[in-house]
Amino acid sequence: EDGTFHLHSGEKVMKFLVFVLLVSQCSALTSQQCHHCEQTSCDCSSQNLREVPAAASKLITELDLSLNALETIMKDDFLSYAALRALFKLDLSSNQLETLSSGWFQNLTSLHYLNLLGNKYSTLGQGNLFLPLRSLKTLHFGGPFLQSVSKRDFSGLFGLEELVFEGNHLQVFNRGSLRQIGPISHVTLRLSGVFHRDLAVVRAILLDVVHPNTTVTFTDTQFNKSLQMFPLHVAIERGATGLSFKNVNMSVSACVQLVNIFSGSDLTFFAIEDSHIFKNEEEVRLHHINLTSLDVIVFKNIDINVFYRVPELHFMQNILTVVRRASMINTMLFVIPCQSTIHFSDLEFLDISDNIIGDLTLMEMMCYGIGVLLNLRTLNISKNILSSINSKLFTRLEKLENLDMSRNSFDSMPSTCSWPASLKFLNLSSTSLPEVTSCLPQSLQILDLSRNKLTVFSIELPLLKELYISGNKLGNLPDGHLYVSLAVLSIQDNNLAKFSSKNLHDYQSLRVLEAAGNPYVCSCDFVGFVTNDLMNHKTVVRHDLKSYICDSPNAVRGERVSDVKLSVFECRTALAISLLCLGILVLCVLIAGLCYKFSVVGLNEGDLGGGKCDNFVKIRLRKAMNSRTYLESPHDEDHIPAFWQSLRTAMKTSEIDNKDNL
């Protein structure tokens, strides 16, 4: 009975263990997985995940769980990632997290980036949330439900380099909460609701986050009145060196007040991007502008209603008199008067791309070539409405090194031009040029002529190091002898059918070639060159040989050049035909020899008894010839009939002798 009892107990234990194993396997199979993992990163965003998936690899350093349905995270969910000791980036934004816990991050000591934006939490947990994250450099937190921020929330956190804080509906902010983190280089604030509801909270936040050399960016905010700009005094007083506004709506009065605030400050960087400036009824007087410290300004993608009716914004031109770098991109700029340009003596970099500047207004801005912007090193006038290349406007700019005139519509190029000797980079891409001339400056080191209509390029440029000529209609590589210094050649998406080792050897200095996207004729020579010689050539082929596709012959069209295998008959047609002809000739000789051999054998068989009639004739002739009768073939044609008659008589005589012998 005891044995039976132990047997039944053992069976129960075994069944229990099997059950546990099946449950664990089932759990593993039903747990949610991330389907977009590479060697070192997992992009698990937008997969409707409700729990943290297990680590897919020991090499994972980045985990993106944004835009899912995570409502809570268990303490051990990141345990498998913590074991890796190398998770650098974690994105939990735009989920359904209602509470936050420091336990989640307990072992993520290597984490550099954490994004918690766009969740449902109203507080940052019970305190010390970020205490375990000793390596954290970038923190994004907050969202539409965040109500309060306290000092204990950031206890133990220090060394941040970038902070993004969203608190549109923030009600309580304990002063000093963010101050304990220490200096932060870049701070981005999304506080639109607070700017309208409680400017004191805005001021308290700025007192905490701004330190000397901090750059502050305000995003997604509505500035309707000049009063809303007053908290920014704190940023200036605290020594902020950069001030930026992105995706904001700003009244003209608020804009003017902003300039009044940072006038006379140590501000070195000022930018307004992706924003709308509108006219309102409030009037604010512009004070005397003192911006001696300002170094860089950026106005990009700004929509200004009826710009010419807003004289208050003319201060933007005055700012250009003190800065070294200025960008006014997509601002509907159509002219800068010569009277203003004369005073832009400190400008070294000017980007006025994506505007509506034409030939005449460019001439006005450049004062018709008399010599302005003498310190300018880089000028970008791309994507305007220029229709001609007027090099005389730039001749006296002796420091100009980089000129971008791309995405205009020139259609033609002058036969000769006058450029400053300092010009090294010229961009004429996407300008509809059908040909180029000696107008190109000989001093160029980098030239971009991509996406034009060129069929030939043969202008000698001895100093040129990089040539970008993709997207044209060239059928051959440019002559390498004309470009002795060329190191980089990009000639993709043209009409190249082939090129050879000799073509590349003509370039004395070529190191990089980009030639994908051409209609290659996959001849044996070209395929052999690409698959063998090119791999061992001093020139490095970018974008991998997999991008080199055959256009012909039809049998290999669409295949990669590196994958094509051609037969001997396709590669050595002349040799193959010669060998074929030689084979046929040998066969004919062999057949002739065999025919001759068999005919001799047949004669021999006749001598041994086969063909009695033939043997009889031969015997008669032999005996006739052996008889005493001597017949000689006559030389005179008149005696031939008599010869044949004598021969017949001799043969008859021989026949009679044979009968007698029988």
Side-chain angles (χ1 to χ4, degrees):
E1 293 180 358
D2 292 341
T4 304
F5 173 78
H6 288 301
L7 179 62
H8 290 314
S9 298
E11 288 179 352
K12 290 181 179 179
V13 171
M14 183 62 68
K15 289 180 180 180
F16 176 75
L17 292 176
V18 171
F19 173 75
V20 170
L21 179 63
L22 290 175
V23 169
S24 63
Q25 290 181 343
C26 182
S27 176
L29 290 173
T30 56
S31 62
Q32 292 183 301
Q33 302 295 319
C34 183
H35 303 297
H36 299 94
C37 287
E38 298 180 356
Q39 288 186 343
T40 60
S41 64
C42 280
D43 181 4
C44 314
S45 62
S46 304
Q47 294 185 21
N48 199 33
L49 297 176
R50 297 184 179 276
E51 60 185 45
V52 177
S57 165
K58 293 183 178 180
L59 301 176
I60 298 300
T61 60
E62 298 182 8
L63 178 61
D64 186 351
L65 291 168
S66 62
L67 300 167
N68 280 292
L70 299 176
E71 295 182 359
T72 186
I73 294 177
M74 306 304 293
K75 182 178 180 180
D76 297 334
D77 279 353
F78 291 116
L79 194 59
S80 58
Y81 295 92
L84 306 180
R85 298 187 180 277
L87 186 64
F88 298 142
K89 182 175 181 179
L90 177 60
D91 191 340
L92 293 169
S93 62
S94 301
N95 278 280
Q96 307 295 319
L97 299 174
E98 296 183 355
T99 59
L100 302 176
S101 171
S102 60
W104 302 348
F105 315 122
Q106 192 64 43
N107 297 304
L108 301 182
T109 56
S110 298
L111 199 65
H112 290 176
Y113 174 99
L114 176 62
N115 190 342
L116 297 170
L117 289 172
N119 283 280
K120 291 186 175 182
Y121 55 83
S122 58
T123 66
L124 297 178
Q126 301 301 315
N128 303 323
L129 179 63
F130 309 108
L131 183 61
L133 305 177
R134 297 190 298 269
S135 301
L136 198 64
K137 300 299 180 184
T138 300
L139 173 62
H140 297 199
F141 79 97
F145 295 91
L146 185 64
Q147 298 290 315
S148 66
V149 172
S150 65
K151 289 184 179 181
R152 63 185 181 181
D153 292 337
F154 300 95
S155 178
L157 181 62
F158 59 90
L160 275 187
E161 297 175 357
E162 180 182 356
L163 176 69
V164 177
F165 176 18
E166 179 182 344
N168 285 330
H169 299 94
L170 190 68
Q171 302 292 330
V172 177
F173 180 85
N174 291 339
R175 183 174 174 180
S177 299
L178 294 169
R179 192 73 180 172
Q180 58 189 317
I181 297 175
I184 307 173
S185 299
H186 300 277
V187 176
T188 300
L189 301 174
R190 191 175 301 153
L191 304 171
S192 183
V194 185
F195 265 102
H196 287 275
R197 186 175 58 254
D198 194 343
L199 293 178
V201 173
V202 176
R203 188 175 185 277
I205 294 173
L206 290 175
L207 282 169
D208 271 13
V209 299
V210 178
H211 296 77
N213 302 319
T214 298
T215 296
V216 183
T217 300
F218 297 94
T219 67
D220 305 301
T221 305
Q222 184 89 14
F223 296 99
N224 295 326
K225 300 178 180 180
S226 61
L227 183 64
Q228 293 173 282
M229 290 297 176
F230 277 94
L232 272 62
H233 277 289
V234 173
I236 300 302
E237 293 167 359
R238 287 282 186 177
T241 53
L243 196 58
S244 176
F245 297 84
K246 291 185 178 181
N247 194 31
V248 303
N249 289 327
M250 186 181 298
S251 67
V252 171
S253 61
C255 186
V256 172
Q257 186 62 53
L258 176 63
V259 176
N260 286 334
I261 290 172
F262 68 71
S263 179
S265 70
D266 295 329
L267 205 66
T268 61
F269 173 82
F270 177 66
I272 301 178
E273 301 181 43
D274 307 317
S275 300
H276 174 65
I277 296 179
F278 59 93
K279 180 72 172 176
N280 61 346
E281 300 299 326
E282 183 183 15
E283 293 187 7
V284 176
R285 182 172 174 270
L286 184 65
H287 302 161
H288 175 70
I289 299 178
N290 177 16
L291 302 172
T292 54
S293 297
L294 195 61
D295 189 55
V296 180
I297 63 166
V298 177
F299 300 132
K300 183 178 180 181
N301 301 333
I302 299 179
D303 177 22
I304 304 176
N305 287 347
V306 203
F307 178 86
Y308 55 88
R309 292 184 182 177
V310 189
E312 296 93 335
L313 296 182
H314 289 174
F315 70 85
M316 291 184 179
Q317 293 185 7
N318 296 333
I319 293 177
L320 294 176
T321 62
V322 296
V323 299
R324 289 190 308 110
R325 299 175 61 86
S327 298
M328 293 179 287
I329 305 168
N330 189 23
T331 59
M332 297 298 289
L333 179 68
F334 63 93
V335 66
I336 300 178
C338 175
Q339 294 90 336
S340 298
T341 312
I342 291 174
H343 301 291
F344 300 167
S345 56
D346 293 331
L347 266 183
E348 298 178 7
F349 175 95
L350 178 60
D351 186 347
I352 50 175
S353 60
D354 199 5
N355 284 293
I356 50 176
I357 296 173
D359 294 333
L360 294 178
T361 53
L362 180 62
M363 292 172 63
E364 170 67 20
M365 186 187 83
M366 300 303 299
C367 295
Y368 303 90
I370 65 172
V372 292
L373 303 175
L374 297 181
N375 281 313
L376 199 64
R377 297 180 181 275
T378 299
L379 175 60
N380 187 347
I381 50 176
S382 64
K383 201 176 180 182
N384 277 277
I385 54 173
L386 301 175
S387 59
S388 64
I389 300 174
N390 189 349
S391 63
K392 294 181 181 179
L393 298 178
F394 315 108
T395 304
R396 298 190 180 184
L397 277 61
E398 297 180 353
K399 295 183 180 180
L400 186 65
E401 297 179 354
N402 309 299
L403 178 60
D404 189 343
M405 304 179 74
S406 62
R407 295 184 293 174
N408 286 285
S409 185
F410 294 134
D411 295 326
S412 64
M413 178 181 287
S415 57
T416 59
C417 293
S418 176
W419 300 98
S422 57
L423 193 61
K424 297 178 181 179
F425 168 81
L426 179 61
N427 190 346
L428 291 172
S429 62
S430 302
T431 53
S432 303
L433 285 172
E435 62 178 355
V436 292
T437 68
S438 298
C439 171
L440 293 175
Q442 291 289 298
S443 59
L444 285 182
Q445 295 183 13
I446 302 175
L447 174 61
D448 192 343
L449 287 166
S450 305
R451 298 178 297 280
N452 279 293
K453 303 175 182 178
L454 305 180
T455 57
V456 176
F457 184 75
S458 58
I459 306 299
E460 185 174 7
L461 298 169
L463 301 180
L464 195 66
K465 295 180 179 179
E466 298 181 20
L467 174 60
Y468 300 92
I469 200 166
S470 297
N472 282 280
K473 301 178 180 180
L474 278 77
N476 298 290
L477 289 179
D479 186 353
H481 296 105
L482 300 176
Y483 313 100
V484 294
S485 302
L486 195 67
V488 177
L489 173 60
S490 179
I491 190 168
Q492 303 177 86
D493 302 317
N494 275 273
N495 291 334
L496 286 185
K498 62 180 180 179
F499 57 91
S500 66
S501 180
K502 181 184 181 302
N503 297 137
L504 296 185
H505 279 301
D506 290 342
Y507 295 92
Q508 300 178 16
S509 306
L510 191 63
R511 294 293 179 268
V512 176
L513 174 67
E514 299 174 349
N518 284 287
Y520 289 115
V521 176
C522 287
S523 63
C524 295
D525 290 339
F526 181 68
V527 171
F529 167 65
V530 170
T531 55
N532 297 312
D533 299 347
L534 192 56
M535 297 298 293
N536 301 318
H537 202 275
K538 66 179 182 179
T539 302
V540 176
V541 179
R542 280 185 182 168
H543 300 141
D544 195 359
L545 290 177
K546 294 179 180 179
S547 302
Y548 290 65
I549 306 299
C550 297
D551 186 65
S552 64
N554 290 333
V556 295
R557 176 174 291 174
E559 292 187 27
R560 298 170 180 168
V561 177
S562 56
D563 294 341
V564 171
K565 307 295 181 185
L566 298 175
S567 66
V568 175
F569 282 93
E570 292 173 301
C571 292
R572 299 287 184 267
T573 305
L575 177 61
I577 293 176
S578 299
L579 291 174
L580 182 62
C581 292
L582 181 60
I584 293 173
L585 179 60
V586 170
L587 182 62
C588 291
V589 171
L590 181 62
I591 292 173
L594 291 173
C595 290
Y596 175 77
K597 179 178 180 181
F598 285 121
S599 65
V600 172
V601 171
L603 289 175
N604 291 336
E605 289 177 351
D607 288 341
L608 294 173
K612 295 181 178 180
C613 181
D614 290 342
N615 289 339
F616 179 72
V617 172
K618 292 175 184 177
I619 294 171
R620 289 176 60 190
L621 281 172
R622 190 180 298 116
K623 287 189 175 185
M625 298 301 291
N626 292 333
S627 68
R628 297 177 182 177
T629 306
Y630 177 75
L631 296 175
E632 183 180 359
S633 177
H635 297 287
D636 191 350
E637 293 183 1
D638 294 336
H639 296 130
I640 290 177
F643 168 78
W644 288 111
Q645 182 61 40
S646 298
L647 180 61
R648 283 193 292 270
T649 302
M651 292 180 69
K652 289 180 179 180
T653 303
S654 176
E655 184 178 356
I656 293 172
D657 292 341
N658 288 335
K659 290 180 179 180
D660 293 339
N661 293 331
L662 294 172

